[in-house]
Amino acid sequence: MKKLIYCVSGTEIKTDVFSSSGENVTLACINALSDCTSTTWLYSKHSSSVTVELIHGGIKNNNIERAERLSLGSNCSLNIYKTTEDDRGQYICLQYVNEQKHGTDEQVFLYVLHVSPSSTQTEMRSGSSVTLTCQLFTYDNTCDHLVLNEDLQLFWVNQADVNLPTDSRYQILSSGQCNITLTTTLQNEDNNIEWRCLVKMKNEIKTSASYTVKFMGTKSTFYKNNFRRLSG
């Protein structure tokens, strides 16, 4: 998970957080007061969606669908356990003292990377075809903004972190700026091989999600998705 923090117009703090699906994420509230009883966290998936109050006065709202995956950290941060693509969106941390807004509003935009098969793979073996879809789920058109202004890109790489080529062996197609698919016909040496989808911004890796091939008849399950946290 990587995050970028910068000020907007002198009145807001905006943070971009990149995560892979299944990862635990902490969204920091930089200007929170010490006891967290003044802290409120709001959430909206899209600009047109209803804003939901996740935390009010340091107390979690247990009447929301994903309440069991949310908690308030000791520093008033918002913890999200095992993120899914539905967690993407805008989070706002506010401080209220005596019912009056205090300090600077903090906006956190969470982007979630997810890799999935195009269909259930029940007979994965040499000679069979597999299509993997990698998508970065974002808030509204934030993806377009990051691509144009921050040089955000998605890549498929092999276990040696070398970009997979687009050729007769690998067909790599983009469907929109934040959606990239990999289609290939499996060979004998592909059993237990791992392919990773990377999110890069200005040539810096922000997060990644991986897919490990498991042939039919192995002791493991037919396939599994592994999500790797990148720090630094």
Side-chain angles (χ1 to χ4, degrees), residues 79 108 121 149 159:
N79 299 321
V108 183
Q121 303 293 322
N149 297 282
Q159 294 181 123

Side-chain angles (χ1 to χ4, degrees), residues 43-138:
Y43 168 74
S44 58
K45 182 179 291 186
H46 306 289
S47 58
S48 58
S49 63
V50 175
T51 298
V52 178
E53 192 173 63
L54 305 177
I55 304 289
H56 178 78
I59 299 174
K60 182 173 67 174
N61 179 4
N62 287 312
N63 295 320
I64 57 177
E65 183 176 351
R66 53 181 175 145
E68 71 282 356
R69 294 194 295 109
L70 303 177
S71 66
L72 194 66
S74 58
N75 57 353
C76 310
S77 60
L78 181 66
N79 299 321
I80 306 175
Y81 178 67
K82 290 189 176 180
T83 58
T84 72
E85 54 268 35
D86 288 332
D87 291 322
R88 50 81 186 282
Q90 181 191 51
Y91 296 77
I92 301 177
C93 185
L94 304 172
Q95 305 298 313
Y96 286 93
V97 177
N98 297 325
E99 299 184 355
Q100 298 294 318
K101 187 183 291 187
H102 174 80
T104 303
D105 294 353
E106 297 183 46
Q107 299 182 42
V108 183
F109 290 90
L110 177 62
Y111 311 112
V112 180
L113 187 69
H114 182 68
V115 167
S116 63
S118 59
S119 61
T120 303
Q121 303 293 322
T122 58
E123 295 186 2
M124 186 175 288
R125 53 190 165 190
S126 180
S128 62
S129 177
V130 61
T131 296
L132 308 178
T133 299
C134 177
Q135 183 172 355
L136 183 66
F137 290 86
T138 68

Side-chain angles (χ1 to χ4, degrees), residues 148-167:
L148 292 174
N149 297 282
E150 303 292 342
D151 192 27
L152 182 140
Q153 295 176 291
L154 272 63
F155 299 92
W156 280 104
V157 301
N158 61 21
Q159 294 181 123
D161 287 338
V162 176
N163 288 3
L164 292 176
T166 299
D167 54 21

Side-chain angles (χ1 to χ4, degrees), residues 115-117 121 124 130 132 156 193-197 209-214 222-226:
V115 167
S116 63
Q121 303 293 322
M124 186 175 288
V130 61
L132 308 178
W156 280 104
I193 201 169
E194 177 187 82
W195 292 306
R196 287 200 298 141
C197 180
S210 66
Y211 183 96
T212 302
V213 176
K214 293 293 181 182
F222 297 125
Y223 67 87
K224 64 180 179 179
N225 283 314
N226 297 316

